[in-house]
Amino acid sequence: MTTEPRPPAASRTARRAPAGAAVLREEVTDAIRAAVFEELAAVGFARMSIEGIARRAGVGKTAVYRRWKSKLALVLDLVSVFAAQGLPAPATGSLYGDVRALLEVAAHALRHPVASQVIPDLLVEAARHPEISDAIKAALLDGQRGIAAVIVREAVARGELPEGADPDRALDLIVGPLYWRLVVVRGELPPGYLDDLAASAVLALSR
């Protein structure tokens, strides 16, 4: 009786690679993350299910569970991914220009139909889940706070703001009214609104 020779270890590893790669294909992960956004916007976190996410992504539930153990873990990962994709601070050469540029980016993000549905719902859930609260803080506050710190530092260096200007106060004055208008009140932005808001924020910061 002859025994068929076994392939070298490297060959056996190469044969197994496609199966492992298929489990963690990046396009599948991206499809699931996109489906989470859609599911959150459609039904909210409380009613969101792994089954619904898998259906929207066009994958089986197993594909979701291989990556995340629960819907909470999935949402936390999603928020963390977006936190890591922070935008660089604007560098227009003037305080007004930087503030106006920050408002433009923030308004574009907050007016997105999915974001306008997802963010308020996650803020409600943050009161029940400290993990969500921490993730949202990292995504919505820490990144913007870093940008505000750069804007203030550069404005101080140019002599547009006094030494000791507070970046947190700057962030409140710049983004706070915009968030209230778009996310809480859900009102439209009239023509010139961002220009006026930028001018008002700069005036308040300069005092």
Side-chain angles (χ1 to χ4, degrees), residues 117-161:
Q117 294 291 330
V118 169
I119 292 175
D121 185 66
L122 287 182
L123 290 176
V124 171
E125 293 300 327
R128 305 186 185 100
H129 299 280
E131 304 98 323
I132 292 181
S133 177
D134 292 342
I136 289 177
K137 178 178 178 293
L140 300 182
L141 177 60
D142 291 351
Q144 295 296 310
R145 179 179 283 166
I147 292 176
V150 173
I151 291 175
V152 168
R153 185 178 67 241
E154 294 300 317
V156 170
R158 289 191 298 264
E160 295 180 281
L161 289 180

Side-chain angles (χ1 to χ4, degrees), residues 6-83:
R6 299 183 66 193
S11 176
R12 295 198 302 271
T13 301
R15 289 183 181 182
R16 287 197 299 268
V23 171
L24 298 177
R25 284 203 310 257
E26 191 62 30
E27 63 267 25
V28 174
T29 303
D30 291 342
I32 294 172
R33 284 178 173 145
V36 174
F37 260 125
E38 295 173 3
E39 190 76 355
L40 279 171
V43 303
F45 179 82
R47 295 175 57 197
M48 185 178 76
S49 67
I50 296 296
E51 291 82 358
I53 293 168
R55 186 168 54 251
R56 286 181 184 274
V59 300
K61 289 191 297 182
T62 303
V64 181
Y65 281 119
R66 280 173 180 160
R67 291 163 171 81
W68 302 277
K69 63 182 179 180
S70 66
K71 70 176 185 179
L72 176 58
L74 209 169
V75 170
L76 291 177
D77 171 74
L78 187 68
V79 173
S80 298
V81 167
F82 277 86

